[in-house]
Amino acid sequence: GKSSIEKLPLRSLVSPFVMIEVEDKVKENVDYALSVEDILRWEEKYGTIPNNSVVCMRTGWSSKIHDTSAYRNMDSNGVMHFPGFSKEAAEFLVFNRTINAVGIDTLSLDPGTNPNFDCHSVMLSNDKYQIENMKLDQDLPPHGGIIISFPLLMPSPECCTRVLVVAKS
């Protein structure tokens, strides 16, 4: 990427929260990749993604977090199987919307079967940060909240962070 964590502007760490729910699609296909069509369907229902949002993808995968084998879901060839963002969805969010970051409840933004890390490349090369391994509870709203990220500010391309979503109940 272009910037490391300590160079993130503080204003980007407090953002409108958007959550795109795909748990049903993941139940049918664990390698599901969020599509531009999924984003457009979300916008038909809730309106255009607000500027400077953190767009999170809730797959339901975080329910597996305490079982490393299930969370990685590795096959006999060493390929992991879990959902993520498609390259096209990442490009759409970066080039057609004004976002600060993306987040997901799996161990990577890219589907486990993607060896090229396309979403990572798109996000990081355009100074968008990313949050992985999130716990996106079912009671979180699809929009209307504020997400606050508290990363360890250090000269590094990655680090641990605490994330808080403040939403109306």
Side-chain angles (χ1 to χ4, degrees):
K2 294 180 181 179
S3 296
S4 55
I5 291 163
E6 85 282 2
K7 294 179 182 171
L8 288 173
L10 288 176
R11 70 182 172 276
S12 73
L13 301 176
V14 179
S15 305
F17 173 73
V18 166
M19 184 171 61
I20 300 175
E21 162 73 52
V22 295
E23 189 169 358
D24 288 342
K25 293 179 180 187
V26 170
K27 286 179 183 173
E28 294 176 20
N29 175 10
V30 297
D31 297 317
Y32 188 78
L34 186 77
S35 67
V36 173
E37 292 77 23
D38 292 322
I39 297 167
L40 294 174
R41 264 194 299 283
W42 186 95
E43 288 186 330
E44 282 176 17
K45 192 170 184 179
Y46 302 110
T48 302
I49 291 171
N51 285 344
N52 305 311
S53 290
V54 174
V55 177
C56 296
M57 179 178 168
R58 189 165 84 74
T59 69
W61 210 256
S62 64
S63 66
K64 304 172 188 293
I65 192 81
H66 297 292
D67 180 345
T68 303
S69 179
Y71 196 62
R72 290 184 177 176
N73 198 25
M74 194 174 299
D75 67 22
S76 61
N77 294 317
V79 176
M80 291 185 276
H81 295 272
F82 53 81
F85 287 81
S86 70
K87 180 181 181 181
E88 295 78 16
E91 290 173 337
F92 179 84
L93 290 169
V94 167
F95 300 121
N96 296 284
R97 299 295 180 265
T98 304
I99 65 164
N100 285 339
V102 291
I104 195 164
D105 59 355
T106 67
L107 63 150
S108 177
L109 296 173
D110 292 283
T113 57
N114 181 340
N116 300 320
F117 298 99
D118 295 322
C119 184
H120 282 79
S121 296
V122 169
M123 293 298 156
L124 295 175
S125 66
N126 288 283
D127 281 334
K128 308 301 179 192
Y129 69 93
Q130 47 201 28
I131 308 170
E132 300 164 333
N133 299 301
M134 297 180 78
K135 185 169 186 327
L136 296 167
D137 290 329
Q138 288 192 350
D139 59 347
L140 287 172
H143 67 94
I146 299 295
I147 185 169
I148 306 166
S149 184
F150 303 95
L152 299 173
L153 294 180
M154 50 199 253
S156 171
E158 59 184 53
C159 75
C160 294
T161 186
R162 290 273 186 182
V163 176
L164 172 69
V165 176
V166 180
K168 294 180 183 178
S169 55

